[in-house]
């Protein structure tokens, strides 16, 4: 029988899950950081900006707890990304394949909101409902338009909860669907004209998008949408030694998750 896992932040994940979300796989490190983090935290953040950067870049806490690096690269990249999320600006992680855009976005969401599962996967077939909202048509036909018939998107849920939502492969989403983000990011409001209502983002809401800069010409971002983002370009590893370090760390993490014997 398949194991169904409830999407509740902080919920225990069964051991048979092949790839735990970042907030579960590194729960001990996040808890240690939260316990020793006495710096100011933005509204609804689980950690301070300093602690979020430490979680991604690694370090040793005052009690001796070792935080493993999640991102091996320039410190400035992480600092700009974290600073962006602490403001009302959305974050666009841009880079060629293999520069850890998805990996960084997942860990940023886990450290900031404690939940990396609010996710929109961008494809050529991504509909507008994936960003705005959809409808339960059985309830819609039976009872007419109402909140009970509305199916919120991950973006709508993040706005209501003051959480971080992720949009993967933004440039693969059709241009008209991309543009549904413009008003949402500038006004921090999602209108629901069918009900004469709107959802206003509460403090703590933000959006992290990723895009492959080799996909230029697929569905280029409009200038209006690009202005709503702070863009951070993730570079390739600076040297062969850095690349070996990254691969070694990932092989070790994957091996431990699969209970494989450690390699020499």
């Amino acid at each position: 029988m398949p194991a169904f896992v409830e999407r509740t932040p902080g919920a225990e994940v069964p051991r048979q899950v092949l790839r735990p979300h970042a907030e579960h796989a590194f729960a001990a490190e996040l808890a240690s950081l939260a316990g020793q983090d006495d710096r100011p935290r933005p509204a609804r953040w689980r950690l301070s900006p300093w602690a979020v950067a430490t979680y991604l870049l690694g370090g040793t806490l005052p009690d001796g707890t070792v935080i493993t690096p999640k991102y091996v690269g320039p410190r400035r990249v992480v600092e700009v990304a974290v600073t962006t999320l602490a403001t009302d600006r959305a974050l666009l992680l841009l880079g060629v394949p293999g520069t850890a855009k998805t990996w960084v976005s997942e860990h940023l969401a886990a450290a900031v909101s404690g939940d990396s599962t609010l996710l929109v996967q961008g494809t050529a077939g991504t509909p507008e409902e994936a960003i705005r909202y959809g409808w339960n048509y059985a309830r819609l036909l039976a009872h007419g338009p109402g909140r009970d018939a509305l199916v919120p998107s991950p973006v709508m849920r993040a706005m209501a909860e003051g959480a971080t939502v992720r949009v993967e492969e933004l440039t693969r989403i059709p241009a008209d669907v991309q543009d549904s983000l413009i008003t949402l990011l500038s006004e921090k409001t999602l209108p629901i004209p069918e009900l004469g209502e709107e959802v206003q983002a509460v403090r703590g809401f933000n959006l992290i998008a990723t895009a492959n800069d080799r996909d230029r010409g697929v569905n280029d971002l409009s200038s209006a949408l690009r202005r709503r983002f702070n863009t951070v370009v993730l570079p390739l590893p600076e040297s062969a030694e850095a690349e070996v370090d990254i691969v070694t760390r990932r092989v070790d993490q994957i091996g431990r998750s699969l209970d494989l014997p450690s390699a020499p």
Side-chain angles (χ1 to χ4, degrees):
M1 294 290 291
F4 293 93
V5 181
E6 184 181 358
R7 194 207 65 84
T8 302
E12 183 177 353
V13 175
R15 185 169 175 79
Q16 64 267 27
V17 171
L18 185 60
R19 185 192 181 279
H21 298 298
E23 57 270 25
H24 299 301
F26 297 93
E29 292 187 11
L30 290 168
S32 294
L33 279 164
Q36 300 180 62
D37 183 15
D38 57 358
R39 292 169 172 79
R41 306 180 187 183
R44 293 183 175 80
W45 278 41
R46 298 293 184 93
L47 302 171
S48 69
W50 169 85
V52 174
T54 301
Y55 169 72
L56 265 83
L57 293 167
T60 302
L61 301 184
D63 69 350
T65 301
V66 176
I67 305 300
T68 58
K70 317 303 179 300
Y71 175 72
V72 178
R75 183 179 186 86
R76 179 67 175 167
V77 168
V78 173
E79 290 177 341
V80 172
V82 174
T83 302
T84 296
L85 293 178
T87 70
D88 64 349
R89 297 281 292 180
L91 172 65
L92 174 61
L93 299 176
L94 189 67
V96 299
T99 49
K101 300 182 296 297
T102 298
W103 181 254
V104 170
S105 73
E106 178 184 359
H107 283 284
L108 283 171
V112 169
S113 299
D115 183 6
S116 63
T117 64
L118 293 172
L119 172 68
V120 176
Q121 178 59 59
T123 70
T126 299
E128 189 173 344
E129 289 81 2
I131 292 177
R132 292 171 56 82
Y133 53 84
W135 296 98
N136 181 324
Y137 288 102
R139 290 188 177 183
L140 187 65
L141 293 173
H143 305 290
R147 277 289 184 141
D148 289 341
L150 187 143
V151 180
S153 70
V155 178
M156 177 183 281
R157 291 173 57 189
M159 293 177 70
E161 298 170 9
T164 302
V165 63
R166 301 159 56 208
V167 179
E168 288 292 310
E169 300 291 354
L170 180 59
T171 52
R172 292 192 177 276
I173 298 176
D176 57 333
V177 179
Q178 289 179 12
D179 286 344
S180 63
L181 287 170
I182 293 176
T183 300
L184 187 152
L185 293 178
S186 59
E187 305 296 332
K188 301 298 188 290
T189 298
L190 179 56
I192 311 175
E194 297 90 341
L195 304 182
E197 300 178 11
E198 65 180 10
V199 174
Q200 290 186 306
V202 300
R203 292 186 65 185
F205 165 73
N206 216 324
L207 184 147
I208 305 173
T210 66
N212 177 355
D213 62 5
R214 287 187 179 173
D215 284 345
R216 291 172 183 165
V218 175
N219 291 300
D220 285 338
L221 302 183
S222 66
S223 59
L225 180 56
R226 187 176 283 273
R227 286 197 303 272
R228 268 65 179 183
F229 287 97
N230 274 358
T231 301
V232 173
V233 178
L234 299 184
L236 290 167
E238 295 179 349
S239 64
E241 290 76 14
E243 190 163 358
V244 169
D245 183 28
I246 294 168
V247 173
T248 302
R249 292 177 187 276
R250 288 296 295 134
V251 168
D252 180 61
Q253 291 169 355
I254 294 170
R256 281 187 279 110
S257 69
L258 296 175
D259 293 328
L260 297 176
S262 59

